[in-house]
Amino acid sequence: MKALLGLLLALFFCTGHFCTAQKSVGVVLSGGGATGLTHIGVLKALEERGVPIDYITGTSAGALVGALYACGYSPAEIEAYVLGEEFQLMANGKLDVGKRYLFNEEESHAGFVDVGFHKDSILRKSIPLNLVRPSFLDFEMVKIFGLTSASNGADFDSLFVPFRCVASDVVNKKSTIFKEGFLNQAVRASMTFPFYLNPIRVNGIIYFDGGLYNNFPVNVMYADFNPDYIIGSNCASKPSQPNEQDFIGLLQNMMQTPTDYKLPCSEAILIQTDSKVGTFQFDEVKQAIDDGYRATILQLDSIDMWLINRISPEELALKREAFKRKSLPLKVSSISIESFDNKNVSFATKALIRTKNNKVLSAEVLQERYFRLYTKPQIEFMYPTLKLNKDSTFHLNLFIRKAKDFKIDVGGHISSRAVNTGFLGVTYRRVGRLASSFNASSYFGKFYGSGKAIATIDFPAVFPISIASYFVLNRWDYFRSFATFFEDVQPSFLVQNEIYYGAKIKHPILNNSKGTFDFRRFKLTDEYYQTAQFTNKDTADVTVLVGTNISYEVLHSTFNRKQFASTGTFSNIKVRYVASTERTSPGSTAMFDTTVTLTHNWINLNAEFQHYFFSKSRIHLGVHFKGMFNSQSLFANYTASLLSMPSFSIIPDMDTYFLPEYRSPQHIGAGINIVATLKKNLELRIDAYYYQPLIVLQKNIDGTFEYSKPFLGSSYIASSSLIFHSIIGPIRATVNYFPQQTKPISLQFSYGYVLFNERAVR
């Protein structure tokens, strides 16, 4: 009788929702870009209620979040990760300052738009396929997903939670399910939104975002896992009717197949999160997470009706810890390189593993060398995958796509003052055993004109070096530096021409520092009048300086922009020796009528330091110091001597003025920089400086000239700008204050960069 009663009670408690048998739970995560990070809040709420998750499938952002969970990351860890600075850099295609490599960065110029193209296809292969560069994203994914999957046999069923994701084969117009192989590759394929991230190849097939054909892979959950209960998390909605000017909206409607977000069985629940976070609003991550969490909290009671078994936080933490212990440390002992066109890119191998005695790379060394290689202008794209070797180290396979053969840079400086300058540059790049490039560029305008040609060869080695030869022509025409479009300009009172050529050897010091040894020959020709009262009938004095310049420079920069920076540090120390001969021929305004020939040998030491010591979201504060020591002797006349002296050009616009009061062979200056962020990309900038020459050149009443007593001629400089940093260069309104000028305050509106080719010796 007792046995019969026990059987009846067992049957009663094992029927309907009172059944205590363990039920498997599968979670399906939709795509949605930044909106898809609502899934983190969903997982967070489910874990807090103790809901066990046995399987997970996802698309696009759902694949990213789902893969992090499947790799043993808790919702709290995932939340901390996406709220961190590194994730924001990944999402925006940027690199942390420490991962930049100044040695590989091109010399600054006034270009603000560049377009690459192949010699055999100028248009078809020149349209960029991505808005952001995925260098940081791809390396982070191989560190997290690639390492975890390789440590677990490259089988997605062997992860902490069995996992599937989908990507779109756009050639064959079908959705593909990833269940094994390189996890980082599968997730990257699934989240490759067209024209935001560039596509990748998996087994020779080009894949784009999984949401194009299957934005809610519940069918994959049923087919591959068939769980007892499904929890669907959807943050996407049917694409609305786009505006004809909405490129992203038109693209989504054109390419995306309509998705049914309904669950086809009763033992399932759909958590629908309606978040206001947009597809690319990655700066609103916290809002997305909170939206997903709140939407899930409202559904927990309904989930409780179906699920009785729970898992405690302690038990889950122990399981995660046990799984994570199976992941091996990242040590790379072998490397293979693939290229899209199967051409020689052995430069990459030498850059990563440089000596036979240093074949095993730790994660730190690999990361440093990986990003150093990625910053080469000759390399457009790299994609890494990992395989486990028998000795528990890893084999790194690196797919490399070389940069397009040619690159055109277009830019310049458009101003309301008469100092408008255009810029055009063409670069040819190639990489094989060595990396090389040839660049020809030109500045053109009435105020400034220049032509430059430079050929560079980079040698990969334990201590990499770069050797370049160059030829430069410069012309400066100071007709009237304070003139605007609404004023007539006077005849030129000063024209400076420079020709120089030489060679330089560059080497890295740290990631953000480099050293450069430079040897050059030069010829400088200055044409000028020695009085302000001259006419078109007067002839100018001419001073020609011919000589040799040898210099060594140490440069360090972590600035966030090439001009008008608001964060980071810049320092520069340069020492040069100049041996030269001067020949001055008098003009009609000269005080003498004989040609003078003099020899000048001098040492020049220049130092500059700028650092933003306080940097918050709205306010940035910096200090700026600059000093010059120059042992240069006097030239044939006062004007020639003044023109040959270094100028204190501490703000960009000072390079477009001829300001005698800020010229001295020895001087120091210091100031403060205040940058206030008014809105995204809109800044108010205030710069104020004190200038102190150690000695200045003075002209006596009788026409003779000499150096003054020390520490005379101090002055101030102030500048205030409202700057909008557009994606194609800065747009600004600027007020400059130079107190010793006849008109001390000047106003200008401008667009572009105030950057020029380097001077020969000045």
Side-chain angles (χ1 to χ4, degrees):
M1 180 64 70
K2 290 183 178 180
L4 181 60
L5 181 60
L7 179 60
L8 291 173
L9 289 172
L11 289 172
F12 176 76
F13 284 106
C14 288
T15 58
H17 62 274
F18 294 102
C19 180
T20 59
Q22 177 67 43
K23 284 189 174 183
S24 59
V25 178
V27 173
V28 182
L29 306 177
S30 73
T35 322
L37 299 178
T38 56
H39 301 316
I40 301 171
V42 173
L43 295 173
K44 180 180 178 181
L46 293 177
E47 276 211 359
E48 287 179 357
R49 186 59 67 99
V51 176
I53 298 174
D54 300 292
Y55 312 105
I56 196 161
T57 63
T59 292
S60 193
L64 174 65
V65 175
L68 286 167
Y69 192 85
C71 285
Y73 281 67
S74 69
E77 290 172 325
I78 300 173
E79 181 176 13
Y81 182 70
V82 300
L83 289 174
E85 183 180 352
E86 288 193 342
F87 182 81
Q88 291 300 317
L89 291 170
M90 289 163 52
N92 291 284
K94 298 179 180 179
L95 273 179
D96 177 73
V97 168
K99 296 178 179 63
R100 286 170 49 190
Y101 195 35
L102 190 64
F103 174 74
N104 284 338
E105 293 184 10
E106 297 177 325
E107 294 181 5
S108 294
H109 53 67
F112 43 71
V113 174
D114 65 85
V115 178
F117 62 93
H118 287 291
K119 55 188 176 184
D120 58 346
S121 179
I122 295 179
L123 178 61
R124 187 170 181 179
K125 297 180 182 178
S126 300
I127 299 174
L129 294 177
N130 53 295
L131 291 174
V132 300
R133 199 178 192 197
S135 52
F136 192 21
L137 170 68
D138 290 339
F139 190 79
E140 281 292 293
M141 291 180 73
V142 81
K143 275 174 52 181
I144 297 172
F145 302 142
L147 184 63
T148 302
S149 64
S151 298
N152 290 275
D155 181 2
F156 297 178
D157 286 339
S158 299
L159 298 174
F160 177 68
V161 175
F163 173 75
R164 299 286 187 272
C165 67
V166 296
S168 299
D169 176 356
V170 293
V171 175
N172 297 302
K173 305 293 189 298
K174 67 177 184 177
S175 180
T176 299
I177 304 168
F178 289 96
K179 59 180 69 177
E180 61 183 3
F182 304 114
L183 180 60
N184 63 305
Q185 199 174 55
V187 176
R188 172 68 161 78
S190 183
M191 56 187 289
T192 301
F193 192 91
F195 294 101
Y196 187 77
L197 288 174
N198 61 288
I200 63 171
R201 289 176 180 265
V202 181
N203 299 323
I205 299 174
I206 299 175
Y207 285 100
F208 272 105
D209 195 290
L212 297 180
Y213 300 145
N214 187 355
N215 202 41
F216 191 59
V218 66
N219 61 323
V220 178
M221 178 63 71
Y222 275 112
D224 280 35
F225 300 124
N226 193 25
D228 298 310
Y229 189 73
I230 292 179
I231 300 173
S233 174
N234 177 46
C235 60
S237 57
K238 292 182 180 180
S240 58
Q241 184 71 23
N243 184 282
E244 62 271 17
Q245 301 297 318
D246 180 7
F247 174 76
I248 297 298
L250 289 169
L251 187 67
Q252 283 180 309
N253 277 266
M254 185 169 53
M255 300 186 67
Q256 188 169 324
T257 301
T259 298
D260 186 357
Y261 297 101
K262 295 179 181 178
L263 297 172
C265 70
S266 59
E267 293 194 350
I269 191 168
L270 178 65
I271 300 171
Q272 177 67 47
T273 303
D274 297 319
S275 177
K276 293 183 179 179
V277 176
T279 304
F280 300 109
Q281 289 183 300
F282 289 98
D283 54 342
E284 300 292 337
V285 169
K286 181 61 177 172
Q287 180 63 50
I289 295 172
D290 291 344
D291 290 342
Y293 182 82
R294 284 191 293 267
T296 309
I297 292 295
L298 298 176
Q299 300 284 1
L300 287 178
D301 289 341
S302 298
I303 295 173
D304 285 343
M305 294 176 60
W306 287 95
L307 299 176
I308 293 178
N309 294 293
R310 295 290 183 265
I311 184 168
S312 68
E314 294 76 17
E315 182 182 357
L316 200 54
L318 289 173
K319 286 185 176 181
R320 280 202 174 97
E321 185 62 32
F323 174 79
K324 289 180 179 180
R325 282 198 297 266
K326 294 192 295 182
S327 288
L328 298 167
L330 179 55
K331 293 183 179 180
V332 172
S333 60
S334 58
I335 293 178
S336 59
I337 305 291
E338 294 181 63
S339 66
F340 181 74
D341 51 11
N342 295 317
K343 292 186 178 179
N344 179 17
V345 285
S346 57
F347 179 95
T349 305
K350 295 177 182 178
L352 291 171
I353 297 183
R354 298 173 185 149
T355 66
K356 294 181 179 179
N357 298 324
N358 186 26
K359 281 192 174 181
V360 177
L361 305 181
S362 66
E364 293 76 17
V365 173
L366 174 65
Q367 176 174 277
E368 178 185 84
R369 295 183 183 178
Y370 178 90
F371 285 111
R372 286 186 173 190
L373 176 61
Y374 212 143
T375 55
K376 293 300 299 180
Q378 292 85 352
I379 293 176
E380 182 178 79
F381 176 66
M382 297 195 324
Y383 194 81
T385 54
L386 292 173
K387 284 185 179 180
L388 183 63
N389 292 325
K390 292 181 179 179
D391 61 356
S392 297
T393 62
F394 292 91
H395 173 83
L396 174 70
N397 180 264
L398 203 58
F399 172 84
I400 292 179
R401 183 168 62 243
K402 297 192 293 185
K404 296 177 177 65
D405 301 326
F406 292 91
K407 178 172 72 81
I408 294 179
D409 291 280
V410 178
H413 180 232
I414 302 171
S415 173
S416 58
R417 291 176 50 233
V419 291
N420 298 284
T421 307
F423 173 80
L424 178 65
V426 180
T427 304
Y428 172 70
R429 306 170 289 195
R430 68 182 304 273
V431 62
R433 295 178 59 190
L434 303 175
S436 60
S437 65
F438 176 79
N439 171 266
S441 61
S442 175
Y443 289 87
F444 43 92
K446 178 171 175 53
F447 164 67
Y448 175 68
S450 179
K452 179 179 180 179
I454 180 168
T456 306
I457 299 177
D458 293 340
F459 298 88
V462 176
F463 190 72
I465 62 171
S466 171
I467 299 177
S469 60
Y470 56 86
F471 178 83
V472 180
L473 297 170
N474 281 330
R475 177 182 174 86
W476 304 81
D477 190 342
Y478 293 95
F479 45 93
R480 186 181 178 188
S481 23
F482 278 82
T484 69
F485 281 144
F486 308 104
E487 299 179 70
D488 294 329
V489 297
Q490 295 178 346
S492 303
F493 69 89
L494 166 61
V495 176
Q496 294 182 311
N497 288 282
E498 300 182 343
I499 301 176
Y500 65 91
Y501 58 91
K504 61 177 65 176
I505 300 175
K506 183 175 63 174
H507 66 87
I509 300 176
L510 298 172
N511 268 18
N512 302 121
S513 308
K514 65 179 179 180
T516 304
F517 175 81
D518 196 321
F519 174 86
R520 69 180 55 158
R521 290 283 298 168
F522 63 85
K523 179 182 179 181
L524 314 182
T525 304
D526 293 345
E527 300 178 30
Y528 53 90
Y529 298 94
Q530 295 197 52
T531 176
Q533 287 73 44
F534 63 89
T535 69
N536 290 329
K537 296 181 180 180
D538 286 315
T539 58
D541 287 31
V542 178
T543 296
V544 178
L545 188 71
V546 179
T548 300
N549 170 84
I550 302 173
S551 67
Y552 181 74
E553 177 184 36
V554 175
L555 179 68
H556 172 87
S557 178
T558 60
F559 273 176
N560 62 327
R561 302 187 187 100
K562 64 180 177 181
Q563 199 162 57
F564 309 115
S566 58
T567 62
T569 301
F570 173 88
S571 63
N572 180 39
I573 298 176
K574 187 172 186 176
V575 58
R576 70 157 53 109
Y577 172 74
V578 180
S580 62
T581 300
E582 171 203 357
R583 180 181 176 86
T584 296
S585 303
S588 60
T589 62
M591 299 184 65
F592 58 88
D593 57 5
T594 58
T595 298
V596 177
T597 301
L598 297 172
T599 299
H600 302 281
N601 300 325
W602 72 86
I603 294 175
N604 178 293
L605 176 62
N606 177 53
E608 184 174 2
F609 175 78
Q610 188 173 10
H611 173 61
Y612 286 92
F613 60 89
F614 181 86
S615 199
K616 297 296 182 181
S617 60
R618 293 289 182 181
I619 296 293
H620 309 274
L621 303 177
V623 291
H624 195 176
F625 303 93
K626 191 172 184 179
M628 173 71 69
F629 173 82
N630 193 28
S631 64
Q632 180 178 322
S633 54
L634 293 175
F635 278 46
N637 57 59
Y638 170 81
T639 306
S641 298
L642 186 66
L643 295 178
S644 68
M645 289 182 180
S647 62
F648 182 70
S649 300
I650 202 164
I651 61 175
D653 286 332
M654 293 185 76
D655 282 327
T656 65
Y657 294 98
F658 180 72
L659 303 170
E661 65 270 27
Y662 298 109
R663 286 177 174 262
S664 168
Q666 299 170 25
H667 58 254
I668 56 174
I672 59 172
N673 313 112
I674 304 172
V675 183
T677 302
L678 306 179
K679 289 185 177 181
K680 186 177 181 181
N681 297 328
L682 181 64
E683 294 179 342
L684 175 64
R685 183 183 187 94
I686 300 173
D687 303 299
Y689 295 94
Y690 173 74
Y691 166 70
Q692 177 62 67
L694 305 185
I695 54 174
V696 295
L697 187 66
Q698 65 180 22
K699 190 174 184 179
N700 301 320
I701 298 176
D702 60 0
T704 61
F705 57 98
E706 61 186 351
Y707 285 126
S708 68
K709 294 180 180 180
F711 301 106
L712 297 179
S714 61
S715 186
Y716 298 91
I717 301 164
S719 179
S720 179
S721 299
L722 185 65
I723 308 176
F724 176 70
H725 296 279
S726 74
I727 60 174
I728 53 173
I731 302 169
R732 63 189 175 102
T734 300
V735 177
N736 292 313
Y737 175 65
F738 305 119
Q740 296 186 38
Q741 290 291 309
T742 305
K743 295 180 180 180
I745 296 177
S746 64
L747 170 66
Q748 73 177 58
F749 300 93
S750 63
Y751 165 58
Y753 297 101
V754 189
L755 291 170
F756 310 107
N757 284 328
E758 183 183 15
R759 290 233 186 203
V761 293
R762 292 184 173 97

